[in-house]
Amino acid sequence: MSENETVETSEAKTHDLISAIILVVAVTVAAFLRFYQIDLKPLHHDEGVNSYFLLNLYNRGEYKYDPTNYHGPTLYYFALLALWVWGKTELALRFWPAIWGVLSVGILWLLRRWLGEAGLAVAAALMAVSPGLVYFSRDFIHETSFGFFTLGIVVSAWCYVATRRFLYLALAAISAALLFATKETAVITAVVLPLAALCAVLWDKGCQLKLWRRFQLSRVLTELWQELRSIWPSLDLLLSAAIIFIFVNLVFYSSFFTNWRGVAGAFESVWLWVGRGTSGDGHKHAFHYYLGILMKLELPLLIGGLLGTVVALWRRKRFGLFLLAWSVGIVLTYSLIPYKTPWLIVSMLIPLALLTGYAAQEIFLCLPDLSLRLLWVVVLFIALIPSAQLAYQVNFDKYDDNSNSSGYLQALGSRLGLKAYTDGQYGGYVYAQTERDLLDLIREIEGATSRLPTGKETDIYVASPEYWPLPWYLREYNHVAYAGTLPETIAQPIVIARDGQQGELEQKLSGDYRSSFFTLRPGVELVLYVRQRSTNSSQ
């Protein structure tokens, strides 16, 4: 080995060591923000519904994929492993979403060659402290795993192109299969990612050969075809990857080969959710909905994305061009679809973080001396501080603030009348979130049943038609009737109703009851009735 090669090897090891230290710190921060007090936030309505399917799987071994209203099966089978370890706890319920969030930061190690030290540091830090990525990593929903599997496809495919190793092709196939087995919006990702890669290669080839100036599109397409042929896997490798993809999907959608109707349901779901997505189905928002959230809660990523756009077009490196096309493509696609919920933004935050990291690295490399580079690092570090503060505020202080009062540029946004700042349900991650008041209701029930001889066997009647996520919190009670209506007479010692049912309900109660009021979520007030023990019965 020559002296120059020895020096280069030594420098590479030093860079890897620095990158490893940076990534370990970012992963540690990500783990803390996702696991610390993971049971703090009451379960959302959707978490309650998802937990119902999980408890059926855990208690009775029953799960059948239903394409009409619910997403893919991976969420439940991974969570089942956690329940086997920790039992029916909030930690077990939210363990895998939190883990996927942490792993999304850790997997960036495989992109260090293209991101560089500064790029890896910035991308990892932004993903670790992003208010949105943290918030939805602490929910038992599909989105965080969906984001990780998407990133798994990108990382594996990029590594395969660089190394031609089948291991990465297999990992890409597994990631793609898990993505499709997680949520129907995988179809969107399956369109955006290849188009982003094609755009990057086309732009790169056209700029290299200066063909765009002469509008020689046919020459560009010829060059593209030749390059695709050079990286395209052989037929046997493609078949192997396809078999892996199909097998993983069959395993999950058939409920481990016990429900073949679920496999047909996987195809039906695409058409069902296309209709739901185009109609809005109760979640219809304007084109600029996600841009409003980005400005209000993810300003460093929004600014970084704009900066990354300029840098990617300026530097014209294929990796940067791909990140740009991915970011623009995914934001534009989800913005065009009428159906919008805040958790879908997870698919946008990840590429924006990578694009920002790429821009930070390219600027770092262009600075001429050490002092300017150190200054740039300080600027980047300072820019992360408000994001970390906002992440803590949104996730540990105002996690059920349905007015969504947290965010950047609050005064300016309100003064300009921007909807993200003036409409509480429009510009934030807290979306009809269950109020912490529900936990007081649960404590009241636990206190009441502890004083009754029947204990956990106490009959509880739920007359309110809106009660999710109560089934999770009342999971240890064996006699809970979720009727959603009022019968002729009610003799159960504990009754839960909506405030609008109060007058009619009190006419039907048999005995002396004490009532208490609790807020489930905005616009839904619950009334808890607990029968009081008479003096004779207490003696």
Side-chain angles (χ1 to χ4, degrees):
M1 182 181 292
S2 67
E3 184 177 345
N4 288 338
E5 290 176 334
T6 303
V7 171
E8 288 176 2
T9 302
S10 177
E11 288 180 353
K13 289 181 179 179
T14 302
H15 290 170
D16 278 353
L17 178 60
I18 294 172
S19 297
I21 293 172
I22 290 170
L23 195 63
V24 167
V25 173
V27 167
T28 302
V29 172
F32 170 78
L33 290 174
R34 286 155 178 79
F35 281 100
Y36 177 64
Q37 292 186 324
I38 199 169
D39 59 345
L40 180 65
K41 181 172 60 178
L43 265 66
H44 187 272
H45 172 282
D46 291 357
E47 287 187 279
V49 175
N50 289 335
S51 71
Y52 172 78
F53 294 113
L54 176 61
L55 289 177
N56 271 345
L57 181 60
Y58 179 78
N59 294 326
R60 292 180 282 278
E62 296 176 1
Y63 171 79
K64 292 183 179 180
Y65 172 67
D66 177 3
T68 58
N69 282 301
Y70 309 106
H71 301 306
T74 59
L75 181 72
Y76 312 110
Y77 285 107
F78 279 109
L80 181 63
L81 301 176
L83 259 66
W84 285 342
V85 177
W86 289 290
K88 294 179 281 188
T89 65
E90 279 80 6
L91 170 61
L93 191 70
R94 292 167 167 166
F95 175 81
W96 278 103
I99 279 293
W100 297 131
V102 175
L103 290 177
S104 295
V105 179
I107 199 175
L108 297 184
W109 173 256
L110 295 175
L111 293 178
R112 67 191 184 281
R113 171 180 166 186
W114 298 278
L115 281 172
E117 292 168 33
L120 178 65
V122 170
L126 284 170
M127 288 177 61
V129 303
S130 161
L133 292 179
V134 174
Y135 194 86
F136 296 118
S137 291
R138 296 168 64 88
D139 277 354
F140 183 56
I141 58 175
H142 299 72
E143 227 57 48
T144 309
S145 57
F146 188 88
F148 174 77
F149 298 141
T150 301
L151 188 54
I153 295 172
V154 171
V155 171
S156 301
W158 208 262
C159 290
Y160 170 75
V161 171
T163 65
R164 303 296 196 275
R165 294 177 60 188
F166 176 70
L167 170 64
Y168 291 117
L169 184 62
L171 289 174
I174 293 171
S175 298
L178 291 173
L179 187 78
F180 273 84
T182 296
K183 202 174 179 188
E184 301 75 15
T185 45
V187 174
I188 296 174
T189 304
V191 172
V192 170
L193 288 183
L195 284 178
L198 283 173
C199 286
V201 176
L202 278 172
W203 189 260
D204 178 39
K205 283 291 183 184
C207 290
Q208 280 182 20
L209 302 172
K210 298 181 180 180
L211 299 175
W212 295 124
R213 297 178 185 177
R214 299 190 293 272
F215 298 101
Q216 295 184 10
L217 181 59
S218 60
R219 173 90 181 275
V220 175
L221 293 176
T222 301
E223 292 286 339
L224 173 64
W225 174 246
Q226 290 177 353
E227 176 144 352
L228 287 176
R229 287 181 61 187
S230 69
I231 65 173
W232 201 254
S234 60
L235 181 59
D236 58 333
L237 295 185
L238 273 178
L239 286 175
S240 300
I243 290 170
I244 291 171
F245 176 84
I246 294 170
F247 178 76
V248 172
N249 274 284
L250 285 177
V251 167
F252 281 103
Y253 277 111
S254 70
S255 299
F256 287 79
F257 312 114
T258 62
N259 174 40
W260 291 104
R261 179 69 186 81
V263 178
F267 292 95
E268 295 173 19
S269 67
V270 176
W271 304 112
L272 289 169
W273 284 94
V274 165
R276 181 164 296 180
T278 53
S279 68
D281 195 32
H283 300 279
K284 189 174 184 178
H285 294 298
F287 173 85
H288 55 270
Y289 174 76
Y290 294 116
L291 293 176
I293 294 179
L294 287 171
M295 177 182 290
K296 185 178 178 182
L297 290 162
E298 306 285 354
L299 191 58
L301 283 175
L302 182 59
I303 295 173
L306 295 174
L307 181 63
T309 300
V310 175
V311 171
L313 294 175
W314 165 46
R315 301 294 285 173
R316 296 201 300 259
K317 292 183 179 179
R318 192 169 295 184
F319 184 64
L321 292 170
F322 167 74
L323 294 179
L324 171 59
W326 178 17
S327 300
V328 171
I330 207 73
V331 172
L332 184 61
T333 303
Y334 277 109
S335 295
L336 287 169
I337 297 171
Y339 185 100
K340 296 179 178 70
T341 55
W343 42 85
L344 291 173
I345 205 170
V346 168
S347 293
M348 302 167 227
L349 297 178
I350 292 174
L352 283 172
L354 292 174
L355 181 59
T356 304
Y358 169 79
Q361 173 68 13
E362 291 301 314
I363 293 173
F364 179 83
L365 293 176
C366 290
L367 295 174
D369 55 56
L370 181 60
S371 59
L372 287 176
R373 290 187 174 189
L374 289 176
L375 179 62
W376 178 237
V377 171
V378 171
V379 169
L380 293 173
F381 177 77
I382 293 174
L384 287 170
I385 294 175
S387 186
Q389 290 175 330
L390 188 56
Y392 191 88
Q393 184 180 24
V394 169
N395 287 281
F396 298 98
D397 181 21
K398 297 185 177 182
Y399 50 84
D400 62 344
D401 175 21
N402 283 286
S403 65
N404 281 300
S405 59
S406 304
Y408 299 99
L409 308 174
Q410 281 283 8
L412 177 62
S414 299
R415 187 165 64 249
L416 295 176
L418 301 179
K419 195 169 183 180
Y421 295 88
T422 58
D423 185 343
Q425 285 299 294
Y426 195 88
Y429 297 131
V430 186
Y431 194 72
Q433 172 62 36
T434 305
E435 303 270 358
R436 65 188 77 184
D437 207 25
L438 178 70
L439 300 181
D440 292 332
L441 181 149
I442 300 302
R443 283 189 282 268
E444 189 77 16
I445 292 174
E446 290 173 348
T449 56
S450 67
R451 295 189 295 271
L452 294 172
T454 49
K456 295 290 185 182
E457 300 299 319
T458 300
D459 287 337
I460 300 175
Y461 189 90
V462 182
S464 171
E466 297 188 61
Y467 50 78
W468 297 103
L470 277 176
W472 169 260
Y473 290 106
L474 300 178
R475 60 191 179 278
E476 299 298 336
Y477 292 87
N478 297 321
H479 302 286
V480 184
Y482 296 98
T485 57
L486 294 173
E488 288 302 317
T489 60
I490 300 178
Q492 286 89 346
I494 295 177
V495 181
I496 302 172
R498 277 207 66 166
D499 54 350
Q501 298 172 310
Q502 188 177 9
E504 184 182 356
L505 174 63
E506 290 180 353
Q507 296 177 2
K508 297 182 176 184
L509 290 172
S510 176
D512 180 24
Y513 284 79
R514 176 173 57 85
S515 62
S516 306
F517 290 82
F518 302 89
T519 302
L520 177 62
R521 56 181 170 269
V524 182
E525 298 291 328
L526 299 181
V527 190
L528 173 66
Y529 288 88
V530 177
R531 188 164 61 198
Q532 303 301 292
R533 298 174 64 185
S534 65
T535 303
N536 291 335
S537 64
S538 63
Q539 293 175 350

